[in-house]
Amino acid sequence: MRFKISFAKEVDHKDVVSCVCWNTPEEIISCGDDHVLFKYNLITGEASKICELPADIYPTDLHSFSKSQSSGKRHGQELFLITSTDGRFHLVGRNGRIEKSVEAHKGAALVGRWSYDGTGLLTGGEDGQVKIWSRSGMLRSTVMQTNTPVYSAAWSPDCQQVLLSSGKTLIIKPLTPNTKANRWKAHEGLILKVDWSPNSGYIISGGEDCRYKVWDMYGRQMYCSLLHEFPITSLSWAPAGDMFAAAGFNTLRLCDKAGWSQSLEKPATGSIYALAWSSDGTQLAAACANHQLMVAHVIDRRLEWQHLEAVQGSRKSVTVRDVSTEAKDKLEFPERVIQLSLGYRHLVVVTSTQCYIYKVTNFNTPIIIDLREGAVTMVLLADRHFLLVEKTSMSLYSYEGRLLASPKWPGLQTSNLNRCHVSLSPDTIALRDQADEKLVHLVQVGGEGGPPLSHSTGVAEVALNQAGAATDRLLALVDKNRDLYLAAATTLQRGLSVTRRIEKLGVMVQSVCWNSRLNILSGMQDTSLTVWYYPNVLFIDPRLTRRTIVIKDASEFGKSPMVVSFEGNHVGVRRSDGALVSSIISPHVSVLHDYAEERMWRDALRLCRSLGDETVWACLAAMAAHARDLDTAEEAYAAINQVDKVVFIQHIKSLPVRGAQLAEMALLGGNVADAESILLQNGLVFRAIMVNLHTHNWSRALELAVKHKTHVDTVLLHRKRYLEAFDKTETNEKFLQFKDQVDLDEEKIQEKISFEYEKEKAST
């Protein structure tokens, strides 16, 4: 990616341009030391003077709160917040009239920011104070008093904290009274600018030490730039939180969220005092010391999928190249391109008012959809459909252009959704709750979602697998502790409660990515690239988990790499310097997955025999056990020397009832609750009781016996023998109440047990 730079010649400032902001995605507001407020329209190229401020007002910061900016439509009245050198802030309406001026600070008011919901604003000044004000300009509180001027400040994503600069120090101060602030030394020189992304939660800072740095919300440094020639005078996050811009004297740099530089421009502007992104994240406005307003457009966005490469060469065109044949297609659009996504045999291009859907086999006749709001922030593709995330809504479309669903629930705010917090599969949408970080909503496409998945810790990333049936849908989630968990997307009915299976799969995981076609999971784990060849083994036979993974040394990827793609047997890893490195996994595992999907067990066995690899054998054992193919599972377990499992499978094969066999296969992986459920569904109450007795789940065994009025004496006898073997006395009240009511005749009980087994044989 890089910037394409132009200058708004129609904007005729007579002095330094010090402030800039966006009114709508196509309209820029600028002001400077000439006291004039200009409005510049990018579509028409026209500039008009909104108003001329009084001669004693020298603007230092400008920020707009406009519903039209967030939704793409005009609703209500926009308000511009202007801070000035006389210590006041001013609320200016769209017509240029100053609605209110408020004495805010002693000395200059250096920074003013609206909160994200527009209900309040903050100001900071030379007196070292940061204050919170209501929308109407009434003082709510003085958040912080420092000994140095506050040159820059920003709201936290939830607007419950304030970030401010104080000399060489950054401070995060919660708005809650009597709460300690988090402060740390961030730079070797004066900090001039800070910004806090509402999407990624990352902080950027720049100052007179000629560096910019990236921090997390706890003050841990994620990135430090090289030494620049001049101080960093302005910074700004893109709305999606996936990139930011940093500027100084005759310098404009586009950076990824990790901090590495995408492009460097050297415009002859002098110092750039302010930067502002448009709401769609494709345009940047800059206030320059040479009296000019600079506009930069993000171009050269590059996407790859299999043999295709899509590049946005200009504002209104995308070039698609087939690297295998060198064939090129240039797609022209009447409006500028906002979003594009390539994958699953389709290219989706979004402009400011329409969405174009192309099949990769035909780039001549797209399907065109008119957008509801015209402000798309995210496009997610899956095999059968794609998801458009707009500023106030989400829409699921088929690749034929048909609207399938519009998921929504209380508290959903699509304007600041993070890509790590939403995932799409062929039948399910997963999204982390924005109010409660511990909840993950799982919505079935074309149906209602069950209860949200509740995790013990805040969730940092979610990812749904793309292959298999809806009943086998898996959710990989990474929590705030960087622990990786695997959860079933579908719910289980156990008695009166509804539960989801969830198990821990790994620790110290930075990022994860599912294969686009197979149930294979890759992730950066600590200092290595880990590939889980068959993650579902965690629910089938957990003891095989360590034997079905491959760990590769990640030293070649450098510091803080991230997995960004997983196509076929190629894992795409983004290094900290921005380079995309491909790592190869064994192609035989993909073939094995295909054989298992088609139930071609003979071919799968032939493949494993020829390879002689224990990892592949372990994968086959788990796949066969999941598919209930006993012969294949027996041979696979034997190949990896799991003698106990082989003996147990031989026992299963001797059982006369299919339902009992399925239950015993569930027991093979330690899933007692699943085994009991299978037996009860097949009417095998006696075996369900015996399963609980063999696993020493005494209370549940007695509960089943009493409920079905059978084999209560059998349960009591096994309990008695167990206590006698360990020389213990009965203390369980449930068993004590039956002690004198039920006569334990061992011969009769043994006859009843034998009768149950004979009845099973007779039924086959």
Side-chain angles (χ1 to χ4, degrees), residues 136-429:
S136 59
M138 301 296 292
L139 179 64
R140 288 179 177 170
S141 64
T142 299
V143 178
M144 199 76 184
Q145 171 69 63
T146 64
N147 297 324
T148 56
V150 176
Y151 284 97
S152 188
W155 291 95
S156 67
D158 59 1
C159 294
Q160 298 301 311
Q161 301 178 90
V162 171
L163 167 71
L164 60 133
S165 65
S166 176
K168 303 175 183 180
T169 304
L170 287 179
I171 302 173
I172 296 179
K173 181 66 172 72
L175 299 186
T176 309
N178 303 320
T179 307
K180 187 178 179 181
N182 178 22
R183 62 177 70 213
W184 68 96
K185 183 180 178 182
H187 289 263
E188 297 301 324
L190 187 68
I191 300 173
L192 299 176
K193 213 72 173 178
V194 298
D195 199 11
W196 197 339
S197 171
N199 280 49
S200 66
Y202 282 178
I203 294 166
I204 49 176
S205 61
E208 290 188 345
D209 59 354
C210 304
R211 299 180 188 272
Y212 64 84
K213 297 182 180 182
V214 182
W215 313 85
D216 68 4
M217 62 186 299
Y218 305 106
R220 292 176 296 193
Q221 183 176 298
M222 312 300 290
Y223 181 83
C224 177
S225 74
L226 297 174
L227 193 67
H228 290 69
E229 290 184 74
F230 301 101
I232 303 298
T233 55
S234 55
L235 294 163
S236 183
W237 277 107
D242 56 345
M243 56 186 174
F244 65 89
F249 182 81
N250 288 350
T251 303
L252 178 62
R253 190 181 290 274
L254 177 65
C255 306
D256 182 80
K257 70 175 181 180
W260 49 267
S261 178
Q262 294 268 24
S263 70
L264 174 63
E265 306 293 335
K266 290 287 189 177
T269 58
S271 292
I272 297 176
Y273 291 116
L275 295 173
W277 287 90
S278 63
S279 60
D280 53 35
T282 61
Q283 304 170 107
L284 182 76
C288 308
N290 65 346
H291 309 179
Q292 288 188 301
L293 172 64
M294 183 173 70
V295 183
H297 301 272
V298 178
I299 61 172
D300 277 2
R301 283 184 287 178
R302 188 180 304 270
L303 300 175
E304 297 177 358
W305 180 76
Q306 293 186 0
H307 60 285
L308 295 177
E309 178 187 60
V311 180
Q312 183 189 350
S314 66
R315 294 175 57 204
K316 298 182 179 181
S317 69
V318 175
T319 302
V320 182
R321 182 170 70 98
D322 189 329
V323 296
S324 60
T325 63
E326 290 298 324
K328 289 186 179 181
D329 290 279
K330 187 171 183 180
L331 312 177
E332 300 280 354
F333 302 95
E335 299 165 312
R336 59 188 176 84
V337 175
I338 295 175
Q339 299 281 346
L340 68 157
S341 188
L342 176 64
Y344 300 99
R345 305 174 301 281
H346 290 86
L347 171 67
V348 177
V349 181
V350 179
T351 67
S352 55
T353 59
Q354 292 180 316
C355 174
Y356 297 79
I357 308 167
Y358 296 89
K359 288 185 178 179
V360 296
T361 55
N362 180 15
F363 289 104
N364 296 321
T365 53
I367 296 172
I368 302 175
I369 304 171
D370 290 328
L371 298 178
R372 296 178 176 182
E373 302 172 18
V376 174
T377 59
M378 192 188 309
V379 181
L380 294 178
L381 305 187
D383 186 51
R384 302 170 191 165
H385 41 240
F386 65 96
L387 185 71
L388 288 183
V389 180
E390 300 183 69
K391 282 295 180 181
T392 60
S393 64
M394 299 169 63
S395 303
L396 189 72
Y397 289 93
S398 69
Y399 288 112
E400 288 74 37
R402 187 173 68 256
L403 179 64
L404 301 177
S406 297
K408 60 179 66 175
W409 49 81
L412 175 63
Q413 296 179 356
T414 58
S415 59
N416 57 357
L417 270 182
N418 190 329
R419 281 186 178 272
C420 293
H421 300 160
V422 59
S423 182
L424 178 67
S425 75
D427 43 60
T428 310
I429 301 171

Side-chain angles (χ1 to χ4, degrees), residues 92 266 355 431 479 550 634 673 739:
V92 182
K266 290 287 189 177
C355 174
L431 192 146
D479 63 20
V550 169
E634 181 182 359
K739 185 175 181 180

